[in-house]
């Protein structure tokens, strides 16, 4: 067996052992966009949250996926949704 294959097998075995011990070889952290964070805080579907904000679902999706950024009043509403979700729930009721 050549040395490259031996090294590969050793690394693979080491990785499996770490996995069994609960040690992750790599940890990925995903940062939520402000729109996604606000919606998660509210616990609403995209449809319900977009309706509450007065925007289309497509616009909300663009904000959440970072293709576009909210401006003006929408940006302020998202800040309110993160810090005081109960206020938007009250308005939307």
């Amino acid at each position: 067996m050549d040395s490259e294959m031996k090294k590969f097998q050793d690394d693979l075995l080491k990785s499996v052992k770490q996995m069994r011990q609960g040690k992750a070889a790599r940890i990925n952290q995903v940062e939520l966009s402000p729109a996604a964070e606000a919606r998660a805080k509210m616990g609403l579907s995209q449809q319900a949250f977009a309706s509450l904000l007065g925007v289309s679902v497509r616009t909300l999706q663009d904000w959440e996926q970072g293709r576009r950024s909210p401006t003006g009043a929408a940006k302020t509403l998202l800040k309110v949704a993160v810090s005081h979700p109960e206020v938007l729930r009250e308005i939307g009721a």
Side-chain angles (χ1 to χ4, degrees):
M1 178 179 324
D2 68 358
S3 64
E4 245 180 83
M5 182 57 87
K6 177 71 173 137
K7 180 171 177 5
F8 173 76
Q9 288 177 338
D10 290 343
D11 288 346
L12 184 59
L13 185 58
K14 180 180 175 185
S15 180
V16 169
K17 287 178 183 176
Q18 287 176 341
M19 183 183 70
R20 287 186 178 160
Q21 295 171 355
K23 297 178 184 174
R26 181 182 323 164
I27 297 174
N28 293 324
Q29 292 185 341
V30 177
E31 200 171 307
L32 291 178
S33 68
E37 181 184 358
R39 186 170 69 84
K41 196 100 171 193
M42 296 285 302
L44 296 174
S45 67
Q46 285 182 330
Q47 177 68 45
F49 194 56
S51 177
L52 180 66
L53 295 177
V55 299
S56 71
V57 173
R58 177 65 180 196
T59 296
L60 178 61
Q61 290 170 343
D62 285 345
W63 292 346
E64 288 187 354
Q65 294 172 11
R67 290 189 294 261
R68 296 185 66 197
S69 296
T71 58
K75 195 173 188 177
T76 302
L77 278 173
L78 292 174
K79 288 179 183 178
V80 171
V82 169
S83 21
H84 303 287
E86 68 283 354
V87 172
L88 284 186
R89 279 193 197 94
E90 190 177 303
I91 292 170

